[in-house]
Amino acid sequence: MSTEKLSRVLQRALNGEEITVGFLGGSITQGCNPSLPKNAYVERVYKWFQETFPETKINKINVGVGATGSLIGVHRVEKDLLVHKPDLIFVEFAANDVPPKEKTNLSYESLIRRILTTLEDTAIVEIFMTLEDGTSAEEEQAAIAKYYGIPTVSYRQEIFREIKKGTYTWKDIETDEVHPNDRGHGIVAELVTKLLKEAMTSPVSEDKHYEIPQTPLNEAPYEKGQLLSCKEIGFIKEVGFEASDEQFRTIGDGYKMQRDAKEAELVCELEGSHIFLLYIKGIEDIRGKVMITIDDEPTNILDTYFDKGWGNYPETYPILMNGEYKKHRITLTVMQAPENQLVSILGFLVS
């Protein structure tokens, strides 16, 4: 682990140079479940920056989106965060990229490489959260961090060590199986600011130049991916759909099925070798089913209903994986069902 780039950013802040700090992650980063917004870990860390560098302008960009992992993250990071050229980015996806598997390893490394290759001098800090039973992608993501020399903060290791000591229980610091309460958010912030303080005192060499490994540790197939909203795509055919106001922070501009539509279909052409549908998985029992066809070949019938779920969220479905890089014709056809059914399409992830 190297804090060289992080130390450089903090030294610039100490010198009075304006810096921008970005936060990318899921619902914990978004700010779920503290009693007040100011008690979320992001706000506490931002307050530390303001208090530590009172004469410096510190910009904060929080693009945490609940129930999303690094697959959506790598496809939206350019438009949501990198265009603002942040000097430091905190990445928090360990509790969302579970269960750890090949797909999340690939999307997470793709995300890290996307940041490093786009903004060479930007520092990254990886934050590892956890579910109550210890499930987390920390091991896989920590290996990626080590390979790229990125500093990390492990809430997971810290709290389970203290729980074992009897310092507190899970219920003392969490509101449910994954979301911290005020105390839990405070622990995250303390771990982050501890790392920042250590980096501030670390020596910074004048001629040090970070070089990104030429080859990925695993693979990074989505490194150049993009999220295309329905508004951006330009459909060849639009029948029975209309613009939707359903929004998940930075994810929106989607389409939904018109309530009085007798049929509904969307057709578009997308160029890539990996294509994912981005849609709303919803708890309303009128959520419908969609037939997905690629290059005139039906692939599957997708059920957008989240039966007995906890709420609506943006979900992905793989339409094409490791396919030929070319233009592919995608057709989404809503299956016939009773009137007033609901289908919401947010767009596509393409790489």
Side-chain angles (χ1 to χ4, degrees):
M1 179 185 77
S2 171
T3 61
E4 181 83 18
K5 291 170 74 173
L6 178 59
S7 298
R8 287 179 181 276
V9 172
L10 296 172
Q11 185 61 53
R12 286 169 49 206
L14 197 60
N15 293 339
E17 295 182 38
E18 178 180 349
I19 67 168
T20 298
V21 182
F23 297 85
L24 177 68
S27 55
I28 297 170
T29 294
Q30 179 178 331
C32 284
N33 292 13
S35 61
L36 295 170
K38 68 178 183 179
N39 293 331
Y41 92 84
V42 168
E43 298 304 321
R44 294 178 193 233
V45 171
Y46 180 53
K47 183 179 180 182
W48 178 88
F49 272 98
Q50 292 177 308
E51 293 178 345
T52 305
F53 310 106
E55 304 302 319
T56 301
K57 183 177 181 181
I58 309 292
N59 304 305
K60 176 195 68 179
I61 304 174
N62 183 352
V63 291
V65 178
T68 66
S70 62
L71 178 61
I72 295 178
V74 65
H75 287 87
R76 69 182 177 90
V77 69
E78 177 68 31
K79 287 190 289 189
D80 283 2
L81 190 55
L82 301 187
V83 293
H84 302 289
K85 297 182 179 180
D87 303 282
L88 168 61
I89 298 176
F90 293 94
V91 180
E92 175 269 310
F93 282 124
N96 292 63
D97 280 1
V98 293
K101 51 188 177 181
E102 182 182 6
K103 185 180 75 171
T104 55
N105 284 354
L106 303 188
S107 60
Y108 191 80
E109 185 167 11
S110 296
L111 170 62
I112 296 301
R113 288 188 68 86
R114 179 65 171 270
I115 297 171
L116 293 174
T117 57
T118 304
L119 300 173
E120 185 178 333
D121 295 326
T122 293
I124 302 173
V125 173
E126 298 184 25
I127 299 175
F128 304 138
M129 304 301 291
T130 183
L131 275 65
E132 184 175 3
D133 63 2
T135 301
S136 171
E138 176 176 354
E139 183 178 346
E140 292 75 17
Q141 294 181 2
I144 292 169
K146 182 178 179 181
Y147 183 71
Y148 291 97
I150 296 171
T152 64
V153 166
S154 179
Y155 175 81
R156 176 173 175 261
Q157 292 184 30
E158 172 71 15
I159 64 161
F160 284 127
R161 180 169 53 246
E162 295 303 316
I163 288 174
K164 187 175 181 179
K165 288 181 182 178
T167 306
Y168 44 68
T169 67
W170 179 268
K171 291 184 178 179
D172 289 333
I173 59 173
E174 297 277 331
T175 62
D176 53 29
E177 74 282 358
V178 67
H179 297 102
N181 58 19
D182 287 359
R183 187 175 179 182
H185 274 281
I187 294 171
V188 181
E190 287 172 8
L191 293 171
V192 169
T193 54
K194 178 183 177 182
L195 173 65
L196 295 174
K197 292 173 185 176
E198 291 172 354
M200 283 182 65
T201 60
S202 298
V204 178
S205 61
E206 293 298 324
D207 57 352
K208 181 77 173 181
H209 178 69
Y210 177 80
E211 293 188 6
I212 304 166
Q214 292 296 308
T215 58
L217 175 64
N218 306 293
E219 293 179 57
Y222 317 122
E223 184 179 338
K224 299 185 184 301
Q226 56 182 326
L227 190 164
L228 299 175
S229 69
C230 290
K231 186 177 179 180
E232 296 170 305
I233 287 172
F235 288 97
I236 298 170
K237 180 181 179 181
E238 297 180 26
V239 176
F241 278 91
E242 62 185 0
S244 171
D245 59 2
E246 295 172 285
Q247 187 88 17
F248 296 89
R249 301 203 75 203
T250 64
I251 301 174
D253 291 331
Y255 282 1
K256 64 180 178 181
M257 184 177 174
Q258 296 170 347
R259 297 186 69 86
D260 59 349
K262 303 300 181 184
E263 60 177 316
E265 187 170 82
L266 295 172
V267 181
C268 66
E269 288 188 344
L270 300 172
E271 187 173 28
S273 55
H274 305 272
I275 301 175
F276 295 82
L277 176 66
L278 183 61
Y279 68 99
I280 295 179
K281 192 81 169 177
I283 58 175
E284 301 89 346
D285 59 11
I286 58 172
R287 293 277 174 181
K289 298 180 180 180
V290 179
M291 168 69 80
I292 302 174
T293 301
I294 179 169
D295 299 328
D296 300 321
E297 293 289 335
T299 62
N300 198 14
I301 296 176
L302 175 67
D303 191 350
T304 69
Y305 177 42
F306 189 16
D307 190 16
K308 299 182 178 65
W310 43 262
N312 295 358
Y313 70 100
E315 179 62 287
T316 60
Y317 177 82
I319 298 175
L320 178 69
M321 297 290 290
N322 297 307
E324 181 183 355
Y325 189 89
K326 66 175 187 178
K327 280 190 177 181
H328 296 276
R329 188 181 182 90
I330 312 295
T331 302
L332 308 177
T333 307
V334 178
M335 306 300 290
Q336 289 186 347
E339 292 183 1
N340 296 328
Q341 69 172 329
L342 179 59
V343 171
S344 302
I345 306 299
L346 293 167
F348 295 87
L349 310 181
V350 183
S351 55

